[in-house]
Amino acid sequence: MAHFLEKIDENDRIALRDELLVFANVVGGKNAFLKILESIRRSSPHPLVSKDPILRFVGGYIKWNKNVHKNNLMLLSIQMNARNDESQNLMPHSDNKNYKNIHNMLRSLSPLTFEVVLNSEPQTTVFSFKMFDIIDSDITYMNKVFEVIFFSPINMVKKLINFEDKSV
């Protein structure tokens, strides 16, 4: 299965790139942004399941409003891998044997909001994003910014932030 970054259309790719470049610029540029992503990928355990809901980087931190339990992260990972090219929906059909567990996991994690805060005076939130884009009770998508920051392969993120619009 192809990663979602390989499948999004050019307009969505440009919009996502622009959003990530805003993030990159506030944390010190593209290289600083990629270093943050690399530190997330190297972290063990995954930063989302750490005791404190915070990820520090040079010049600031990313904080979120709720701890993520390891079993929820594992179930989310399974659901992410179960997505296919036709549907990026994380919510399974109600006849799925794991429907209740997945539904509960999505409901539990849906309030998660991430804030990027710089260590300047005064400390201010400069960028924020949610974990999911909830369309309705049957459709929940992973927020693309969240997926890029916490899960997407670095080489794909690098291609995305360096993507140039050929139509301009």
Side-chain angles (χ1 to χ4, degrees):
M1 181 189 88
H3 190 274
F4 88 92
L5 288 175
E6 297 172 325
K7 294 291 183 182
I8 59 176
D9 68 37
E10 191 161 330
N11 290 335
D12 289 343
R13 184 179 307 267
I14 292 166
L16 181 57
R17 178 208 57 199
D18 292 348
E19 194 169 357
L20 292 174
L21 286 175
V22 168
F23 182 107
N25 287 334
V26 300
V27 298
K30 291 179 186 178
N31 287 336
F33 174 68
L34 292 171
K35 284 180 183 177
I36 292 168
L37 300 188
E38 287 170 355
S39 72
I40 291 170
R41 303 305 181 276
R42 283 193 308 265
S43 296
S44 182
H46 195 281
L48 291 173
V49 296
S50 65
K51 186 179 83 175
D52 297 319
I54 193 166
L55 172 69
R56 297 184 190 286
F57 58 86
V58 174
Y61 55 92
I62 301 172
K63 67 178 181 173
W64 49 100
N65 55 334
K66 183 178 180 178
N67 284 333
V68 176
H69 297 285
K70 188 175 182 177
N71 59 342
N72 278 341
L73 185 62
M74 288 177 16
L75 190 55
L76 176 62
S77 179
I78 290 167
Q79 276 308 100
M80 287 171 60
N81 291 330
R83 296 177 299 181
N84 57 44
D85 294 341
E86 291 80 44
S87 175
Q88 293 291 305
N89 189 7
L90 293 168
M91 184 66 77
H93 292 288
S94 58
D95 59 354
N96 184 308
K97 68 178 183 156
N98 288 324
Y99 174 81
K100 185 176 180 183
N101 290 338
I102 295 165
H103 180 265
N104 288 341
M105 176 269 299
L106 291 172
R107 195 176 71 208
S108 169
L109 297 178
S110 65
L112 272 169
T113 302
F114 296 80
E115 296 180 14
V116 179
V117 180
L118 297 183
N119 287 337
S120 58
E121 287 297 326
Q123 290 187 341
T124 54
T125 299
V126 292
F127 191 83
S128 64
F129 54 94
K130 296 199 63 72
M131 187 175 207
F132 300 121
D133 295 328
I134 299 172
I135 308 305
D136 60 33
S137 61
D138 297 324
I139 302 174
T140 299
Y141 297 117
M142 180 77 65
N143 178 288
K144 288 177 175 63
V145 172
F146 170 79
E147 188 166 355
V148 165
I149 291 172
F150 285 98
F151 295 104
S152 294
I154 300 292
N155 63 333
M156 292 182 149
V157 176
K158 196 174 201 178
K159 282 182 192 176
L160 176 65
I161 63 174
N162 290 317
F163 177 75
E164 292 190 26
D165 184 4
K166 306 289 188 247
S167 65
V168 177

